[in-house]
Amino acid sequence: MSPVASSWLLAGAILVLVLGDPTDACTCAPLHPQTAFCHADVVIRGKFVGVTPPSPTRSTEEFESWIRYEINVTKTYKGPESPGDVIFIDSWQKFCAYQHSAPLDGKEEYLIMAERQGEPLTISLCSFVRLWGRVPPSQRRGVSQAYGEGCACEVVPCHSMPCKLSGNAQCPWTDGLQDWNWQGPQAERQACLPRPSQPLEDSFCAWETLDDSFSEATANSPGL
């Protein structure tokens, strides 16, 4: 798991301890799908086929309880998992837990971006987990091709203008200035990708619009 994600979860855990109610303390920071992809250790398409109810990791510490989802992998974009594998992904029940509301019947595919905390894979309420049928074609192209090329770049959420950037490898993300849930054109159709630079110059990144013609047939073809 990335240092940024680790520090964010640590801050959230401190809020839980201070405020007492983990549901009240759960606030998700804006997360561009490219950032979610780059921070994730595993990115897959998969089907939820089962769940193990939460149980304490230590007999006297109910606070550290987890819920475990059983996932049938149908496509791997990042990580060692292979189509046909059955994997388990945990979620911390007492803090920002991911709650899968749909039936666990393995009928629908989801795009899942998970991180490793030690050995187990984990997701939370703030993780990128989307019904595949609702992922727009441009984001499908992102997870298949573009997002991985931009992991040396940084998407910076802009809460006001002018947006403060600290280097040429950063792209200003302004969707939140128009839409409080940050689901604007930059999140849906663009990626922050490196541009050619001269020798000895700092890397330069800029927004690039992804192709909306990424069809379902293309998404399911080998290598995508």
Side-chain angles (χ1 to χ4, degrees):
M1 184 169 59
S2 71
V4 173
S6 299
S7 61
W8 186 91
L9 288 173
L10 177 60
I14 293 173
L15 281 175
V16 170
L17 295 173
V18 172
L19 299 178
D21 187 342
T23 57
D24 290 342
C26 186
T27 300
C28 300
L31 191 65
H32 191 277
Q34 176 177 324
T35 304
F37 180 95
C38 293
H39 286 177
D41 296 296
V42 168
V43 179
I44 61 168
R45 288 205 323 259
K47 300 178 179 181
F48 287 81
V49 295
V51 63
T52 301
S55 59
T57 57
R58 299 183 181 88
S59 59
T60 59
E61 295 185 12
E62 185 180 357
F63 182 78
E64 294 186 6
S65 58
W66 296 80
I67 187 168
R68 169 163 289 185
Y69 291 102
E70 184 177 352
I71 311 292
N72 184 8
V73 178
T74 57
K75 176 68 179 177
T76 300
Y77 300 100
K78 185 178 181 181
E81 287 68 21
S82 301
D85 287 352
V86 175
I87 64 173
F88 296 94
I89 299 181
D90 296 348
S91 190
W92 189 13
Q93 183 72 5
K94 292 298 181 179
F95 172 57
C96 293
Y98 172 81
Q99 300 287 348
H100 192 72
S101 57
L104 298 167
D105 54 12
K107 292 182 178 180
E108 295 184 308
E109 273 188 310
Y110 287 78
L111 178 60
I112 305 168
M113 302 187 188
E115 297 175 342
R116 290 197 186 277
Q117 291 189 0
E119 182 62 27
L121 287 169
T122 63
I123 54 175
S124 71
L125 177 67
C126 300
S127 298
F128 194 103
V129 181
R130 300 285 188 277
L131 187 65
W132 180 247
R134 296 180 181 175
V135 177
S138 49
Q139 287 186 357
R140 296 184 183 192
R141 181 170 293 282
V143 297
S144 297
Q145 299 170 338
Y147 293 156
E149 299 173 0
C151 287
C153 303
E154 181 183 2
V155 176
V156 179
C158 299
H159 299 276
S160 62
M161 295 299 290
C163 188
K164 295 182 179 180
L165 302 179
S166 59
N168 291 333
Q170 295 181 327
C171 294
W173 182 22
T174 59
D175 284 342
L177 300 178
Q178 304 294 328
D179 184 351
W180 66 271
N181 63 8
W182 295 84
Q183 296 304 307
Q186 288 176 317
E188 292 188 359
R189 297 191 293 274
Q190 295 184 340
C192 178
L193 300 177
R195 292 290 180 266
S197 59
Q198 297 297 323
L200 304 180
E201 287 186 355
D202 293 338
S203 58
F204 176 79
C205 297
W207 289 111
E208 180 175 320
T209 299
L210 304 178
D211 190 355
D212 281 333
S213 63
F214 197 59
S215 66
E216 186 70 24
T218 304
N220 286 301
S221 64
L224 294 179

